[in-house]
Amino acid sequence: MIENDDDPQRSRARVVHPGEGRLGDLGAITVDFKVWGADTGGALAIVEHEFPPGALVPPHIHTLEDEYSIVTAGRIGFRSGDREAVLGAGGYITKPRGEAHAMWNAGAEPARMIEVISPAGFELFFRAVADMIEAGDPDPERGAALAAEHGLQFVDTPWLADVVRRFGLNAS
């Protein structure tokens, strides 16, 4: 039998049964850690995100990794570069590094997606943010330092206000 161990530093076969994984709060959305970079020799990491109605992940750029998203429930809107799409369960999107992108719940029901991060490493940013929020210490300066450490840049875009208006999103 293969052990299921939540230690992200272990590198060996990993089995994650439905409902297993470490759940964390990222503020607007949740993160459910499924496969850590240590499980794949750094090749990739896999997390799941739940988007409550009105949730928005504001425009940002990853400089170190690409992301691949698979919607598993509800409807999630994506804007990456100059392309916008609303995807239902079974929809896929690639978000290449260096391109500003945003995601939001485009419906009235909770939505979920699987996020594949390649190469791995950004899951450690999610873990650090979730730990800060869980500890009741969402320090903006520490958050900004973590973002910089993980090559994450939040950006202003001319299209965000229109997306917020059209989908009735929480932009705070």
Side-chain angles (χ1 to χ4, degrees):
M1 174 189 254
I2 299 172
E3 284 184 38
N4 189 3
D5 185 336
D6 283 332
D7 179 358
Q9 301 306 313
R10 296 191 96 138
S11 182
R12 62 182 189 188
R14 180 166 176 86
V15 174
V16 182
H17 296 279
E20 290 183 344
R22 177 183 175 213
L23 186 61
D25 182 359
L26 297 177
I29 64 173
T30 64
V31 61
D32 196 352
F33 299 94
K34 299 299 184 178
V35 178
W36 297 87
D39 297 325
T40 67
L44 61 88
I46 301 174
V47 299
E48 292 184 24
H49 295 296
E50 183 167 319
F51 289 66
L56 166 70
V57 176
H60 59 281
I61 296 171
H62 296 270
T63 62
L64 304 175
E65 60 278 318
D66 302 305
E67 292 181 313
Y68 308 90
S69 301
I70 305 137
V71 177
T72 58
R75 293 170 22 99
I76 299 179
F78 297 90
R79 174 85 186 229
S80 191
D82 62 357
R83 293 168 309 281
E84 182 178 309
V86 174
L87 301 174
Y92 288 68
I93 188 169
T94 63
K95 297 170 295 193
R97 75 188 78 188
E99 186 170 271
H101 63 277
M103 301 161 285
W104 59 90
N105 184 324
E109 302 295 323
R112 283 189 75 81
M113 72 178 198
I114 296 170
E115 188 94 277
V116 179
I117 303 161
S118 176
F122 197 70
E123 76 279 15
L124 302 176
F125 170 80
F126 288 145
R127 183 181 68 187
V129 170
D131 287 349
M132 281 184 5
I133 290 172
E134 185 178 303
D137 184 26
D139 176 11
E141 287 183 23
R142 176 71 180 129
L146 283 169
E149 178 183 325
H150 290 277
L152 177 65
Q153 303 166 355
F154 287 95
V155 295
D156 289 324
T157 60
W159 45 262
L160 181 60
D162 179 57
V163 167
V164 168
R165 179 189 54 76
R166 284 187 289 127
F167 292 94
L169 304 175
N170 302 325
S172 54

